[in-house]
Amino acid sequence: MMASFFDQFASPSFLGIPLIFVAIALPWIMFPTPPARWVNNRLITLQTWFINQFTSQLLTPLNVGGHKWALLLTSLMIFLITTNLLGLLPYTFTPTTQLSLNMGLAVPLWLATVIVGMRNQPTIALGHLLPEGTPIPLIPVLIIIETISLFIRPLALGVRLTANLTAGHLLIQLIATAVFVLLPMMPTVAILTATVLFLLTLLEVAVAMIQAYVFVLLLSLYLQENV
């Protein structure tokens, strides 16, 4: 029984070919392409408004040098939100429940922010490893601690996204299984459990969007320290 609960996180394959690439490419196909004419339909107008609002809010604390990352961060945000929400549909696979994918997104982007800081302002970037006013005996210890915390950042990004989505999917499956088991024996309890399941699904929709936003927001904060 426990093994079947975790089967939903196994990457599906067809004829030995992993289908995770299809799951990653599918969200981009679903977004409408803005036409060349001036007047757009409501869907494209709403999509454009959302992208503009998110980009302006994300880039407000950054200086001009960080605005070059606008396209990358906005695209990553849209990809994560769409992938997380599509994973809540029945009989679907969520690529962002795979730690390998999340680390593959977190490590290169975090490393890029560090490289940008080392190239543009190496003194300030290295100064983050030693807080101002540190007593001399504590300098070696704090440098080691700050270095470890710096390298833990991408791990925290990937694990946070993976853990939140995995826990939500498991909880939904557990409660849904309880509803099917209780329905023939105790219909009233099953209806109450189904109500809890509905509320939990709404919560997971919010978590899917919030976790995508947090992932990109933390990357922008790392970038803010280095530009």
Side-chain angles (χ1 to χ4, degrees):
M1 177 65 72
M2 293 304 297
S4 63
F5 286 150
F6 290 92
D7 285 347
Q8 59 178 319
F9 304 115
S11 178
S13 59
F14 180 73
L15 297 177
I17 302 174
L19 298 181
I20 187 173
F21 303 107
V22 178
I24 293 175
L26 183 61
W28 300 110
I29 302 175
M30 300 182 62
F31 281 95
T33 303
R37 59 178 183 269
W38 284 95
V39 181
N40 295 322
N41 57 33
R42 292 183 178 88
L43 180 59
I44 296 180
T45 303
L46 180 63
Q47 174 182 310
T48 306
W49 175 84
F50 170 77
I51 293 175
N52 291 336
Q53 290 295 319
F54 170 75
T55 305
S56 61
Q57 181 181 1
L58 187 67
L59 299 181
T60 298
L62 299 177
N63 55 24
V64 179
H67 292 180
K68 300 176 183 178
W69 292 61
L71 179 61
L72 176 62
L73 295 178
T74 305
S75 302
L76 179 62
M77 173 71 175
I78 295 174
F79 170 73
L80 291 177
I81 284 183
T82 310
T83 306
N84 294 347
L85 292 179
L86 288 177
L88 293 174
L89 297 176
Y91 302 104
T92 56
F93 171 69
T94 313
T96 44
T97 56
Q98 305 295 309
L99 183 60
S100 57
L101 174 65
N102 295 334
M103 293 301 296
L105 294 174
V107 172
L109 293 175
W110 163 82
L111 186 60
T113 61
V114 174
I115 293 175
V116 167
M118 291 295 183
R119 185 187 64 180
N120 295 339
Q121 43 185 14
T123 304
I124 299 177
L126 293 175
H128 291 306
L129 301 178
L130 184 63
E132 186 178 356
T134 304
I136 295 179
L138 296 179
I139 288 179
V141 178
L142 282 181
I143 291 178
I144 294 175
I145 293 175
E146 291 297 329
T147 304
I148 294 174
S149 67
L150 177 66
F151 284 96
I152 284 179
R153 285 180 174 181
L155 181 63
L157 278 177
V159 171
R160 180 187 297 108
L161 182 59
T162 304
N164 281 280
L165 295 180
T166 302
H169 284 64
L170 280 176
L171 195 55
I172 288 177
Q173 185 171 2
L174 285 170
I175 297 179
T177 304
V179 171
F180 281 104
V181 171
L182 293 174
L183 190 59
M185 299 181 295
M186 293 178 286
T188 305
V189 179
I191 292 174
L192 294 176
T193 309
T195 305
V196 175
L197 178 61
F198 175 74
L199 297 176
L200 179 63
T201 304
L202 295 181
L203 177 63
E204 285 304 313
V205 171
V207 168
M209 294 186 290
I210 291 173
Q211 288 303 317
Y213 177 73
V214 169
F215 189 94
V216 178
L217 178 63
L218 289 177
L219 280 176
S220 68
L221 294 179
Y222 301 157
L223 180 63
Q224 183 180 354
E225 294 180 357
N226 294 284
V227 295

